[in-house]
Amino acid sequence: MPVEGGAGTRGPRRAAAVAVIAVTAAMTLAACGGGGKDASADQRPARPSAASDVGTATSKTSRPAGSPSPGPDTPARSASAAPAGSSSSAAPSTGVRLPPRHAGFDYQIGGAYSPPAGVRVVSRDRSSSPAPGLYNVCYVNAFQAQPEERASWPADLLLRGADGKVVIDEDWNEALLDIRTPAKRARIAERVDGWIDGCAAKGFDAIEPDNYDSYTRSHGLLTAGDATAFITLLSRHAHSRHLAIGQKNAAELAGLRKRTGLDFAVAEECGQYDECGVYAKAFDDRVLVIEYTESGLRKALEGYGTRLSIVRRDVDVSTPGSKGYVREVG
């Protein structure tokens, strides 16, 4: 995933003991109503044109000034926004437009470029602009702090261990955010909500909040309940801005999508790690799949090529003309 603000990229996920995490998550949520502690210690799932099948919930008018030309089912964006921590439902509100199923897809979070022919859905970093006429997903890093942004976060909102040191996602040198209490979740959500507002103002259709699975590498400090409570806040705000919201990875939490208000899934390497079926079932085939290997692409296509939106990209999610650029769809 890219460093937000446009500087740098992330790579693929790495395999994880999903069954173990799923059991832990289920036990935590059942015992504590979604907010208790668990002992999951750093078991990380690996990372590295309107359509006829676009779901919408009425209200189709215009987008904010300066945004791309709307398709026939494009709703207006609401100027109002529910405050973080609102008790309103996380379910989609009127005007939320869902991504089409089994559509041409391109993953451009490492840098925007003209979408290839046949693409109907594109995901781009929040620093970029939407692709005119397509279904656009806006990437935000919601659960961790980018290295260059760490200093701008209040010190007490960075997750710290018993030694007082900030807990770091070593793969990307990102600090985990402290979402353990309702008060801290509300403060963090307020900042992320500002990014969501920016995505809405640019004319994106949906958001992709990354690092939903950060609790699995928090050394037991965060739980599945903490993650789902926080994503629910983001869902409410996204829906208040008439944006759909996607679940990024964390297959073990897909079954909670109705509780959390998530609308579709963005799944890295679900073919490689035999997780596509989990997402397909939970999200009624509204799944955007990114594979980083030939074998992963082949497995995803063999099992779900007629149902899901699947693309293979290079690990750096680079742009055409770059040395390592790869994009395959079959």
Side-chain angles (χ1 to χ4, degrees):
M1 281 51 66
V3 172
E4 262 185 276
T9 57
R10 293 176 163 233
R13 21 185 332 250
R14 295 176 179 73
V18 170
V20 175
I21 299 175
V23 172
T24 302
M27 291 175 63
T28 299
L29 292 166
C32 304
K37 298 297 178 189
D38 72 355
S40 60
D42 223 24
Q43 303 188 43
R44 176 175 200 176
R47 274 193 326 226
S49 150
S52 59
D53 190 32
V54 172
T56 185
T58 74
S59 183
K60 308 173 182 73
T61 52
S62 60
R63 298 192 179 204
S67 62
S69 300
D73 289 325
T74 303
R77 303 288 188 220
S78 170
S80 63
S86 166
S87 61
S88 61
S89 171
S93 59
T94 298
V96 170
R97 182 182 177 222
L98 303 182
R101 299 179 180 89
H102 188 225
F105 173 50
D106 201 13
Y107 204 48
Q108 299 186 3
I109 64 174
Y113 51 89
S114 296
V119 169
R120 294 164 59 200
V121 181
V122 65
S123 185
R124 290 178 171 178
D125 185 72
R126 67 180 174 90
S127 63
S128 299
S129 296
L134 303 183
Y135 188 96
N136 287 272
V137 181
C138 188
Y139 171 98
V140 298
N141 193 351
F143 289 76
Q144 299 183 178
Q146 305 285 163
E148 72 278 7
E149 294 182 342
R150 188 182 306 169
S152 69
W153 282 93
D156 68 317
L157 294 184
L158 301 180
L159 184 67
R160 297 175 187 272
D163 59 1
K165 294 182 179 179
V166 174
V167 179
I168 301 295
D169 175 349
E170 299 293 345
D171 281 346
W172 316 117
N173 190 30
E174 293 178 356
L176 274 64
L177 299 175
D178 190 348
I179 55 173
R180 289 178 292 183
T181 69
K184 288 188 176 182
R185 287 194 289 269
R187 290 170 60 199
I188 296 169
E190 183 176 9
R191 180 166 182 168
V192 178
D193 286 349
W195 299 339
I196 293 172
D197 291 345
C199 294
K202 286 185 174 183
F204 281 92
D205 300 287
I207 62 164
E208 172 192 341
D210 200 9
N211 292 310
Y212 187 28
D213 60 351
S214 62
Y215 77 94
T216 65
R217 46 190 176 273
S218 70
H219 309 293
L221 294 173
L222 300 177
T223 70
D226 296 329
T228 56
F230 182 63
I231 202 75
T232 301
L233 292 181
L234 302 186
S235 293
R236 289 172 183 155
H237 189 78
H239 291 153
S240 78
R241 301 309 307 270
H242 299 286
L243 293 172
I245 179 170
Q247 172 171 324
K248 180 68 170 289
N249 297 327
E252 69 278 6
L253 301 181
L256 301 176
R257 56 79 50 109
K258 289 186 178 179
R259 178 190 302 181
T260 54
L262 297 166
D263 302 305
F264 64 98
V266 180
E268 289 178 296
E269 301 194 282
C270 70
Q272 186 71 28
Y273 297 111
D274 300 316
E275 297 172 343
C276 293
V278 175
Y279 294 110
K281 179 179 179 180
F283 292 93
D284 194 22
D285 287 358
R286 294 191 194 276
V287 184
L288 308 178
V289 178
I290 308 99
E291 297 293 336
Y292 296 103
T293 65
E294 287 188 17
S295 61
L297 178 64
R298 183 174 64 253
K299 288 174 66 177
L301 291 173
E302 287 174 353
Y304 297 91
T306 61
R307 295 171 56 184
L308 310 184
S309 302
I310 302 170
V311 68
R312 180 190 173 194
R313 289 302 325 272
D314 56 282
V315 170
D316 291 330
V317 202
S318 59
T319 57
S322 300
K323 182 178 180 180
Y325 174 78
V326 173
R327 183 182 185 274
E328 296 180 53
V329 293

mmCIF file of all heavy atoms in Angstrom, residues 253-300:
data_model
loop_
_atom_site.group_PDB
_atom_site.id
_atom_site.type_symbol
_atom_site.label_atom_id
_atom_site.label_comp_id
_atom_site.label_asym_id
_atom_site.label_seq_id
_atom_site.Cartn_x
_atom_site.Cartn_y
_atom_site.Cartn_z
ATOM 1 N N LEU A 253 -12.487 -11.312 9.985
ATOM 2 C CA LEU A 253 -13.522 -10.400 10.466
ATOM 3 C C LEU A 253 -14.629 -10.159 9.436
ATOM 4 O O LEU A 253 -15.549 -9.378 9.680
ATOM 5 C CB LEU A 253 -12.895 -9.054 10.857
ATOM 6 C CG LEU A 253 -11.817 -9.095 11.946
ATOM 7 C CD1 LEU A 253 -11.314 -7.687 12.248
ATOM 8 C CD2 LEU A 253 -12.339 -9.761 13.206
ATOM 9 N N ALA A 254 -14.544 -10.829 8.289
ATOM 10 C CA ALA A 254 -15.503 -10.580 7.218
ATOM 11 C C ALA A 254 -16.935 -10.882 7.640
ATOM 12 O O ALA A 254 -17.876 -10.225 7.196
ATOM 13 C CB ALA A 254 -15.137 -11.398 5.979
ATOM 14 N N GLY A 255 -17.131 -11.867 8.505
ATOM 15 C CA GLY A 255 -18.458 -12.235 8.939
ATOM 16 C C GLY A 255 -19.156 -11.181 9.780
ATOM 17 O O GLY A 255 -20.366 -11.275 10.025
ATOM 18 N N LEU A 256 -18.400 -10.156 10.196
ATOM 19 C CA LEU A 256 -18.968 -9.086 11.022
ATOM 20 C C LEU A 256 -19.364 -7.875 10.188
ATOM 21 O O LEU A 256 -19.665 -6.821 10.741
ATOM 22 C CB LEU A 256 -17.954 -8.661 12.089
ATOM 23 C CG LEU A 256 -17.486 -9.770 13.039
ATOM 24 C CD1 LEU A 256 -16.400 -9.234 13.977
ATOM 25 C CD2 LEU A 256 -18.642 -10.321 13.838
ATOM 26 N N ARG A 257 -19.379 -8.011 8.869
ATOM 27 C CA ARG A 257 -19.558 -6.830 8.013
ATOM 28 C C ARG A 257 -20.879 -6.106 8.253
ATOM 29 O O ARG A 257 -20.939 -4.872 8.141
ATOM 30 C CB ARG A 257 -19.391 -7.184 6.543
ATOM 31 C CG ARG A 257 -20.254 -8.278 5.899
ATOM 32 C CD ARG A 257 -21.671 -7.895 5.507
ATOM 33 N NE ARG A 257 -21.769 -6.702 4.734
ATOM 34 C CZ ARG A 257 -22.089 -6.673 3.441
ATOM 35 N NH1 ARG A 257 -22.295 -7.795 2.782
ATOM 36 N NH2 ARG A 257 -22.252 -5.521 2.817
ATOM 37 N N LYS A 258 -21.955 -6.808 8.608
ATOM 38 C CA LYS A 258 -23.224 -6.120 8.849
ATOM 39 C C LYS A 258 -23.148 -5.280 10.126
ATOM 40 O O LYS A 258 -23.665 -4.164 10.179
ATOM 41 C CB LYS A 258 -24.367 -7.124 8.921
ATOM 42 C CG LYS A 258 -24.703 -7.745 7.573
ATOM 43 C CD LYS A 258 -25.929 -8.638 7.652
ATOM 44 C CE LYS A 258 -26.270 -9.204 6.280
ATOM 45 N NZ LYS A 258 -27.450 -10.100 6.334
ATOM 46 N N ARG A 259 -22.497 -5.825 11.154
ATOM 47 C CA ARG A 259 -22.347 -5.078 12.399
ATOM 48 C C ARG A 259 -21.495 -3.828 12.195
ATOM 49 O O ARG A 259 -21.757 -2.765 12.779
ATOM 50 C CB ARG A 259 -21.702 -5.962 13.470
ATOM 51 C CG ARG A 259 -21.466 -5.256 14.790
ATOM 52 C CD ARG A 259 -20.610 -6.086 15.742
ATOM 53 N NE ARG A 259 -21.203 -7.385 16.019
ATOM 54 C CZ ARG A 259 -20.641 -8.275 16.843
ATOM 55 N NH1 ARG A 259 -19.482 -8.010 17.418
ATOM 56 N NH2 ARG A 259 -21.229 -9.437 17.058
ATOM 57 N N THR A 260 -20.471 -3.938 11.391
ATOM 58 C CA THR A 260 -19.536 -2.833 11.207
ATOM 59 C C THR A 260 -19.948 -1.874 10.100
ATOM 60 O O THR A 260 -19.374 -0.792 9.974
ATOM 61 C CB THR A 260 -18.134 -3.382 10.894
ATOM 62 O OG1 THR A 260 -18.207 -4.274 9.771
ATOM 63 C CG2 THR A 260 -17.562 -4.151 12.089
ATOM 64 N N GLY A 261 -20.906 -2.270 9.262
ATOM 65 C CA GLY A 261 -21.383 -1.393 8.201
ATOM 66 C C GLY A 261 -20.528 -1.394 6.955
ATOM 67 O O GLY A 261 -20.668 -0.503 6.108
ATOM 68 N N LEU A 262 -19.653 -2.386 6.788
ATOM 69 C CA LEU A 262 -18.774 -2.431 5.616
ATOM 70 C C LEU A 262 -19.551 -2.933 4.398
ATOM 71 O O LEU A 262 -20.406 -3.812 4.507
ATOM 72 C CB LEU A 262 -17.569 -3.318 5.912
ATOM 73 C CG LEU A 262 -16.681 -2.777 7.048
ATOM 74 C CD1 LEU A 262 -15.704 -3.843 7.526
ATOM 75 C CD2 LEU A 262 -15.937 -1.528 6.590
ATOM 76 N N ASP A 263 -19.230 -2.373 3.238
ATOM 77 C CA ASP A 263 -20.044 -2.586 2.042
ATOM 78 C C ASP A 263 -19.447 -3.552 1.020
ATOM 79 O O ASP A 263 -20.174 -4.180 0.263
ATOM 80 C CB ASP A 263 -20.279 -1.248 1.338
ATOM 81 C CG ASP A 263 -20.955 -0.235 2.234
ATOM 82 O OD1 ASP A 263 -22.030 -0.551 2.779
ATOM 83 O OD2 ASP A 263 -20.407 0.870 2.393
ATOM 84 N N PHE A 264 -18.138 -3.625 0.936
ATOM 85 C CA PHE A 264 -17.461 -4.487 -0.026
ATOM 86 C C PHE A 264 -16.087 -4.812 0.534
ATOM 87 O O PHE A 264 -15.743 -4.369 1.636
ATOM 88 C CB PHE A 264 -17.359 -3.806 -1.397
ATOM 89 C CG PHE A 264 -16.504 -2.554 -1.422
ATOM 90 C CD1 PHE A 264 -15.187 -2.589 -1.854
ATOM 91 C CD2 PHE A 264 -17.031 -1.326 -1.021
ATOM 92 C CE1 PHE A 264 -14.405 -1.441 -1.880
ATOM 93 C CE2 PHE A 264 -16.261 -0.168 -1.044
ATOM 94 C CZ PHE A 264 -14.944 -0.230 -1.469
ATOM 95 N N ALA A 265 -15.311 -5.595 -0.172
ATOM 96 C CA ALA A 265 -13.988 -5.987 0.322
ATOM 97 C C ALA A 265 -12.903 -5.663 -0.695
ATOM 98 O O ALA A 265 -13.131 -5.709 -1.905
ATOM 99 C CB ALA A 265 -13.950 -7.476 0.650
ATOM 100 N N VAL A 266 -11.729 -5.317 -0.184
ATOM 101 C CA VAL A 266 -10.511 -5.174 -0.977
ATOM 102 C C VAL A 266 -9.549 -6.212 -0.414
ATOM 103 O O VAL A 266 -9.085 -6.083 0.723
ATOM 104 C CB VAL A 266 -9.908 -3.767 -0.870
ATOM 105 C CG1 VAL A 266 -8.641 -3.665 -1.720
ATOM 106 C CG2 VAL A 266 -10.918 -2.708 -1.282
ATOM 107 N N ALA A 267 -9.285 -7.262 -1.175
ATOM 108 C CA ALA A 267 -8.551 -8.414 -0.660
ATOM 109 C C ALA A 267 -7.239 -8.614 -1.398
ATOM 110 O O ALA A 267 -7.239 -8.905 -2.598
ATOM 111 C CB ALA A 267 -9.407 -9.665 -0.776
ATOM 112 N N GLU A 268 -6.136 -8.474 -0.677
ATOM 113 C CA GLU A 268 -4.829 -8.753 -1.255
ATOM 114 C C GLU A 268 -4.513 -10.235 -1.116
ATOM 115 O O GLU A 268 -4.586 -10.800 -0.027
ATOM 116 C CB GLU A 268 -3.749 -7.946 -0.549
ATOM 117 C CG GLU A 268 -3.795 -6.465 -0.842
ATOM 118 C CD GLU A 268 -2.721 -5.716 -0.079
ATOM 119 O OE1 GLU A 268 -2.762 -5.707 1.169
ATOM 120 O OE2 GLU A 268 -1.847 -5.131 -0.724
ATOM 121 N N GLU A 269 -4.183 -10.857 -2.240
ATOM 122 C CA GLU A 269 -3.705 -12.232 -2.306
ATOM 123 C C GLU A 269 -4.677 -13.260 -1.729
ATOM 124 O O GLU A 269 -4.274 -14.264 -1.166
ATOM 125 C CB GLU A 269 -2.336 -12.334 -1.616
ATOM 126 C CG GLU A 269 -1.284 -11.434 -2.254
ATOM 127 C CD GLU A 269 0.127 -11.774 -1.818
ATOM 128 O OE1 GLU A 269 0.477 -11.391 -0.702
ATOM 129 O OE2 GLU A 269 0.836 -12.437 -2.595
ATOM 130 N N CYS A 270 -5.961 -13.018 -1.899
ATOM 131 C CA CYS A 270 -6.919 -14.014 -1.405
ATOM 132 C C CYS A 270 -6.859 -15.292 -2.231
ATOM 133 O O CYS A 270 -7.188 -16.370 -1.734
ATOM 134 C CB CYS A 270 -8.331 -13.441 -1.347
ATOM 135 S SG CYS A 270 -9.134 -13.134 -2.942
ATOM 136 N N GLY A 271 -6.431 -15.175 -3.492
ATOM 137 C CA GLY A 271 -6.237 -16.374 -4.295
ATOM 138 C C GLY A 271 -5.042 -17.161 -3.804
ATOM 139 O O GLY A 271 -5.104 -18.380 -3.609
ATOM 140 N N GLN A 272 -3.951 -16.480 -3.555
ATOM 141 C CA GLN A 272 -2.727 -17.114 -3.091
ATOM 142 C C GLN A 272 -2.941 -17.857 -1.781
ATOM 143 O O GLN A 272 -2.376 -18.923 -1.554
ATOM 144 C CB GLN A 272 -1.631 -16.051 -2.907
ATOM 145 C CG GLN A 272 -0.262 -16.599 -2.574
ATOM 146 C CD GLN A 272 0.399 -17.306 -3.741
ATOM 147 O OE1 GLN A 272 0.143 -16.999 -4.904
ATOM 148 N NE2 GLN A 272 1.245 -18.280 -3.440
ATOM 149 N N TYR A 273 -3.767 -17.295 -0.902
ATOM 150 C CA TYR A 273 -3.939 -17.869 0.432
ATOM 151 C C TYR A 273 -5.341 -18.432 0.663
ATOM 152 O O TYR A 273 -5.762 -18.603 1.817
ATOM 153 C CB TYR A 273 -3.582 -16.822 1.489
ATOM 154 C CG TYR A 273 -2.131 -16.418 1.388
ATOM 155 C CD1 TYR A 273 -1.768 -15.148 0.956
ATOM 156 C CD2 TYR A 273 -1.123 -17.337 1.659
ATOM 157 C CE1 TYR A 273 -0.437 -14.786 0.823
ATOM 158 C CE2 TYR A 273 0.208 -16.994 1.523
ATOM 159 C CZ TYR A 273 0.553 -15.715 1.112
ATOM 160 O OH TYR A 273 1.875 -15.364 0.976
ATOM 161 N N ASP A 274 -6.046 -18.741 -0.421
ATOM 162 C CA ASP A 274 -7.335 -19.435 -0.329
ATOM 163 C C ASP A 274 -8.343 -18.747 0.579
ATOM 164 O O ASP A 274 -9.027 -19.383 1.384
ATOM 165 C CB ASP A 274 -7.121 -20.888 0.148
ATOM 166 C CG ASP A 274 -6.240 -21.690 -0.792
ATOM 167 O OD1 ASP A 274 -6.444 -21.590 -2.021
ATOM 168 O OD2 ASP A 274 -5.342 -22.406 -0.313
ATOM 169 N N GLU A 275 -8.451 -17.425 0.435
ATOM 170 C CA GLU A 275 -9.393 -16.658 1.240
ATOM 171 C C GLU A 275 -10.523 -16.022 0.410
ATOM 172 O O GLU A 275 -11.447 -15.433 0.980
ATOM 173 C CB GLU A 275 -8.666 -15.533 1.981
ATOM 174 C CG GLU A 275 -7.640 -15.991 2.983
ATOM 175 C CD GLU A 275 -6.825 -14.833 3.553
ATOM 176 O OE1 GLU A 275 -6.836 -13.737 2.958
ATOM 177 O OE2 GLU A 275 -6.167 -15.038 4.592
ATOM 178 N N CYS A 276 -10.470 -16.128 -0.906
ATOM 179 C CA CYS A 276 -11.446 -15.426 -1.749
ATOM 180 C C CYS A 276 -12.870 -15.840 -1.429
ATOM 181 O O CYS A 276 -13.787 -15.000 -1.446
ATOM 182 C CB CYS A 276 -11.148 -15.669 -3.224
ATOM 183 S SG CYS A 276 -9.586 -14.931 -3.804
ATOM 184 N N GLY A 277 -13.073 -17.103 -1.117
ATOM 185 C CA GLY A 277 -14.414 -17.577 -0.816
ATOM 186 C C GLY A 277 -15.003 -16.935 0.423
ATOM 187 O O GLY A 277 -16.216 -16.704 0.501
ATOM 188 N N VAL A 278 -14.152 -16.648 1.408
ATOM 189 C CA VAL A 278 -14.610 -16.004 2.639
ATOM 190 C C VAL A 278 -15.178 -14.621 2.321
ATOM 191 O O VAL A 278 -16.262 -14.248 2.783
ATOM 192 C CB VAL A 278 -13.459 -15.888 3.655
ATOM 193 C CG1 VAL A 278 -13.901 -15.100 4.887
ATOM 194 C CG2 VAL A 278 -12.949 -17.265 4.047
ATOM 195 N N TYR A 279 -14.424 -13.854 1.537
ATOM 196 C CA TYR A 279 -14.868 -12.508 1.164
ATOM 197 C C TYR A 279 -16.090 -12.561 0.246
ATOM 198 O O TYR A 279 -17.026 -11.770 0.393
ATOM 199 C CB TYR A 279 -13.747 -11.757 0.464
ATOM 200 C CG TYR A 279 -12.555 -11.465 1.328
ATOM 201 C CD1 TYR A 279 -11.345 -12.113 1.124
ATOM 202 C CD2 TYR A 279 -12.625 -10.532 2.355
ATOM 203 C CE1 TYR A 279 -10.233 -11.838 1.902
ATOM 204 C CE2 TYR A 279 -11.525 -10.252 3.155
ATOM 205 C CZ TYR A 279 -10.328 -10.912 2.921
ATOM 206 O OH TYR A 279 -9.232 -10.636 3.699
ATOM 207 N N ALA A 280 -16.086 -13.492 -0.720
ATOM 208 C CA ALA A 280 -17.197 -13.596 -1.670
ATOM 209 C C ALA A 280 -18.503 -13.869 -0.939
ATOM 210 O O ALA A 280 -19.543 -13.271 -1.250
ATOM 211 C CB ALA A 280 -16.913 -14.689 -2.691
ATOM 212 N N LYS A 281 -18.459 -14.762 0.035
ATOM 213 C CA LYS A 281 -19.667 -15.094 0.793
ATOM 214 C C LYS A 281 -20.139 -13.910 1.630
ATOM 215 O O LYS A 281 -21.327 -13.583 1.655
ATOM 216 C CB LYS A 281 -19.397 -16.303 1.694
ATOM 217 C CG LYS A 281 -20.592 -16.716 2.532
ATOM 218 C CD LYS A 281 -20.268 -17.931 3.390
ATOM 219 C CE LYS A 281 -21.467 -18.339 4.243
ATOM 220 N NZ LYS A 281 -21.152 -19.525 5.092
ATOM 221 N N ALA A 282 -19.213 -13.266 2.324
ATOM 222 C CA ALA A 282 -19.580 -12.178 3.234
ATOM 223 C C ALA A 282 -20.073 -10.949 2.499
ATOM 224 O O ALA A 282 -20.956 -10.242 2.982
ATOM 225 C CB ALA A 282 -18.384 -11.820 4.117
ATOM 226 N N PHE A 283 -19.508 -10.672 1.312
ATOM 227 C CA PHE A 283 -19.808 -9.428 0.605
ATOM 228 C C PHE A 283 -20.566 -9.638 -0.698
ATOM 229 O O PHE A 283 -20.569 -8.750 -1.558
ATOM 230 C CB PHE A 283 -18.518 -8.642 0.378
ATOM 231 C CG PHE A 283 -17.914 -8.118 1.653
ATOM 232 C CD1 PHE A 283 -16.944 -8.847 2.332
ATOM 233 C CD2 PHE A 283 -18.344 -6.910 2.196
ATOM 234 C CE1 PHE A 283 -16.403 -8.382 3.523
ATOM 235 C CE2 PHE A 283 -17.815 -6.434 3.383
ATOM 236 C CZ PHE A 283 -16.843 -7.171 4.054
ATOM 237 N N ASP A 284 -21.193 -10.793 -0.838
ATOM 238 C CA ASP A 284 -22.050 -11.047 -1.988
ATOM 239 C C ASP A 284 -21.324 -10.759 -3.305
ATOM 240 O O ASP A 284 -21.868 -10.106 -4.215
ATOM 241 C CB ASP A 284 -23.327 -10.201 -1.876
ATOM 242 C CG ASP A 284 -24.423 -10.643 -2.842
ATOM 243 O OD1 ASP A 284 -24.390 -11.801 -3.276
ATOM 244 O OD2 ASP A 284 -25.297 -9.808 -3.158
ATOM 245 N N ASP A 285 -20.082 -11.215 -3.386
ATOM 246 C CA ASP A 285 -19.240 -11.103 -4.584
ATOM 247 C C ASP A 285 -18.766 -9.679 -4.897
ATOM 248 O O ASP A 285 -18.129 -9.465 -5.938
ATOM 249 C CB ASP A 285 -19.929 -11.686 -5.828
ATOM 250 C CG ASP A 285 -19.980 -13.207 -5.813
ATOM 251 O OD1 ASP A 285 -19.442 -13.823 -4.864
ATOM 252 O OD2 ASP A 285 -20.568 -13.795 -6.741
ATOM 253 N N ARG A 286 -19.059 -8.714 -4.046
ATOM 254 C CA ARG A 286 -18.502 -7.367 -4.266
ATOM 255 C C ARG A 286 -17.107 -7.336 -3.638
ATOM 256 O O ARG A 286 -16.898 -6.836 -2.537
ATOM 257 C CB ARG A 286 -19.412 -6.295 -3.671
ATOM 258 C CG ARG A 286 -20.757 -6.192 -4.361
ATOM 259 C CD ARG A 286 -21.523 -4.960 -3.921
ATOM 260 N NE ARG A 286 -22.911 -5.030 -4.320
ATOM 261 C CZ ARG A 286 -23.392 -4.685 -5.512
ATOM 262 N NH1 ARG A 286 -22.566 -4.214 -6.430
ATOM 263 N NH2 ARG A 286 -24.678 -4.796 -5.791
ATOM 264 N N VAL A 287 -16.143 -7.895 -4.365
ATOM 265 C CA VAL A 287 -14.781 -8.064 -3.863
ATOM 266 C C VAL A 287 -13.787 -7.625 -4.935
ATOM 267 O O VAL A 287 -13.860 -8.070 -6.086
ATOM 268 C CB VAL A 287 -14.504 -9.535 -3.470
ATOM 269 C CG1 VAL A 287 -13.114 -9.668 -2.853
ATOM 270 C CG2 VAL A 287 -15.572 -10.057 -2.509
ATOM 271 N N LEU A 288 -12.863 -6.733 -4.545
ATOM 272 C CA LEU A 288 -11.778 -6.293 -5.412
ATOM 273 C C LEU A 288 -10.526 -7.039 -4.986
ATOM 274 O O LEU A 288 -10.063 -6.896 -3.847
ATOM 275 C CB LEU A 288 -11.573 -4.777 -5.279
ATOM 276 C CG LEU A 288 -12.828 -3.910 -5.461
ATOM 277 C CD1 LEU A 288 -12.482 -2.432 -5.245
ATOM 278 C CD2 LEU A 288 -13.442 -4.124 -6.837
ATOM 279 N N VAL A 289 -9.981 -7.848 -5.876
ATOM 280 C CA VAL A 289 -8.871 -8.742 -5.547
ATOM 281 C C VAL A 289 -7.589 -8.256 -6.206
ATOM 282 O O VAL A 289 -7.567 -7.965 -7.401
ATOM 283 C CB VAL A 289 -9.171 -10.184 -6.020
ATOM 284 C CG1 VAL A 289 -7.990 -11.103 -5.710
ATOM 285 C CG2 VAL A 289 -10.455 -10.702 -5.364
ATOM 286 N N ILE A 290 -6.510 -8.184 -5.404
ATOM 287 C CA ILE A 290 -5.185 -7.864 -5.930
ATOM 288 C C ILE A 290 -4.265 -9.035 -5.635
ATOM 289 O O ILE A 290 -4.082 -9.415 -4.478
ATOM 290 C CB ILE A 290 -4.585 -6.590 -5.297
ATOM 291 C CG1 ILE A 290 -5.560 -5.422 -5.380
ATOM 292 C CG2 ILE A 290 -3.265 -6.231 -5.989
ATOM 293 C CD1 ILE A 290 -6.339 -5.198 -4.087
ATOM 294 N N GLU A 291 -3.698 -9.624 -6.677
ATOM 295 C CA GLU A 291 -2.692 -10.673 -6.527
ATOM 296 C C GLU A 291 -1.340 -10.114 -6.955
ATOM 297 O O GLU A 291 -1.265 -9.205 -7.783
ATOM 298 C CB GLU A 291 -3.054 -11.891 -7.387
ATOM 299 C CG GLU A 291 -4.365 -12.566 -7.003
ATOM 300 C CD GLU A 291 -4.325 -13.242 -5.640
ATOM 301 O OE1 GLU A 291 -3.227 -13.595 -5.172
ATOM 302 O OE2 GLU A 291 -5.413 -13.420 -5.039
ATOM 303 N N TYR A 292 -0.279 -10.677 -6.369
ATOM 304 C CA TYR A 292 1.068 -10.190 -6.677
ATOM 305 C C TYR A 292 1.943 -11.260 -7.332
ATOM 306 O O TYR A 292 3.114 -11.004 -7.635
ATOM 307 C CB TYR A 292 1.748 -9.687 -5.407
ATOM 308 C CG TYR A 292 1.057 -8.483 -4.786
ATOM 309 C CD1 TYR A 292 0.249 -8.626 -3.661
ATOM 310 C CD2 TYR A 292 1.182 -7.208 -5.343
ATOM 311 C CE1 TYR A 292 -0.394 -7.528 -3.106
ATOM 312 C CE2 TYR A 292 0.544 -6.117 -4.799
ATOM 313 C CZ TYR A 292 -0.245 -6.282 -3.669
ATOM 314 O OH TYR A 292 -0.897 -5.196 -3.121
ATOM 315 N N THR A 293 1.391 -12.454 -7.548
ATOM 316 C CA THR A 293 2.153 -13.538 -8.169
ATOM 317 C C THR A 293 1.332 -14.191 -9.259
ATOM 318 O O THR A 293 0.091 -14.107 -9.267
ATOM 319 C CB THR A 293 2.534 -14.616 -7.133
ATOM 320 O OG1 THR A 293 1.327 -15.232 -6.642
ATOM 321 C CG2 THR A 293 3.322 -14.018 -5.971
ATOM 322 N N GLU A 294 2.004 -14.864 -10.182
ATOM 323 C CA GLU A 294 1.296 -15.589 -11.236
ATOM 324 C C GLU A 294 0.427 -16.687 -10.647
ATOM 325 O O GLU A 294 -0.708 -16.898 -11.087
ATOM 326 C CB GLU A 294 2.311 -16.190 -12.218
ATOM 327 C CG GLU A 294 2.968 -15.175 -13.135
ATOM 328 C CD GLU A 294 3.811 -15.842 -14.202
ATOM 329 O OE1 GLU A 294 3.618 -17.059 -14.431
ATOM 330 O OE2 GLU A 294 4.654 -15.163 -14.812
ATOM 331 N N SER A 295 0.972 -17.398 -9.660
ATOM 332 C CA SER A 295 0.204 -18.492 -9.064
ATOM 333 C C SER A 295 -1.032 -17.966 -8.345
ATOM 334 O O SER A 295 -2.105 -18.571 -8.415
ATOM 335 C CB SER A 295 1.080 -19.287 -8.085
ATOM 336 O OG SER A 295 1.540 -18.465 -7.012
ATOM 337 N N GLY A 296 -0.898 -16.830 -7.671
ATOM 338 C CA GLY A 296 -2.044 -16.248 -6.987
ATOM 339 C C GLY A 296 -3.124 -15.820 -7.958
ATOM 340 O O GLY A 296 -4.315 -16.061 -7.741
ATOM 341 N N LEU A 297 -2.710 -15.192 -9.059
ATOM 342 C CA LEU A 297 -3.671 -14.776 -10.082
ATOM 343 C C LEU A 297 -4.369 -15.987 -10.675
ATOM 344 O O LEU A 297 -5.596 -15.991 -10.842
ATOM 345 C CB LEU A 297 -2.960 -13.984 -11.181
ATOM 346 C CG LEU A 297 -3.848 -13.534 -12.349
ATOM 347 C CD1 LEU A 297 -4.911 -12.552 -11.881
ATOM 348 C CD2 LEU A 297 -2.989 -12.917 -13.462
ATOM 349 N N ARG A 298 -3.604 -17.017 -10.975
ATOM 350 C CA ARG A 298 -4.193 -18.222 -11.565
ATOM 351 C C ARG A 298 -5.222 -18.848 -10.629
ATOM 352 O O ARG A 298 -6.332 -19.202 -11.043
ATOM 353 C CB ARG A 298 -3.086 -19.234 -11.884
ATOM 354 C CG ARG A 298 -3.609 -20.497 -12.567
ATOM 355 C CD ARG A 298 -2.476 -21.409 -12.989
ATOM 356 N NE ARG A 298 -1.725 -21.912 -11.827
ATOM 357 C CZ ARG A 298 -0.505 -21.509 -11.497
ATOM 358 N NH1 ARG A 298 0.107 -20.575 -12.234
ATOM 359 N NH2 ARG A 298 0.105 -21.991 -10.439
ATOM 360 N N LYS A 299 -4.891 -18.955 -9.349
ATOM 361 C CA LYS A 299 -5.818 -19.555 -8.390
ATOM 362 C C LYS A 299 -7.074 -18.699 -8.224
ATOM 363 O O LYS A 299 -8.189 -19.226 -8.142
ATOM 364 C CB LYS A 299 -5.126 -19.739 -7.040
ATOM 365 C CG LYS A 299 -4.085 -20.841 -7.038
ATOM 366 C CD LYS A 299 -3.326 -20.888 -5.717
ATOM 367 C CE LYS A 299 -4.214 -21.285 -4.564
ATOM 368 N NZ LYS A 299 -3.442 -21.403 -3.292
ATOM 369 N N ALA A 300 -6.891 -17.388 -8.178
ATOM 370 C CA ALA A 300 -8.055 -16.504 -8.029
ATOM 371 C C ALA A 300 -8.980 -16.618 -9.235
ATOM 372 O O ALA A 300 -10.206 -16.699 -9.099
ATOM 373 C CB ALA A 300 -7.593 -15.062 -7.842
#
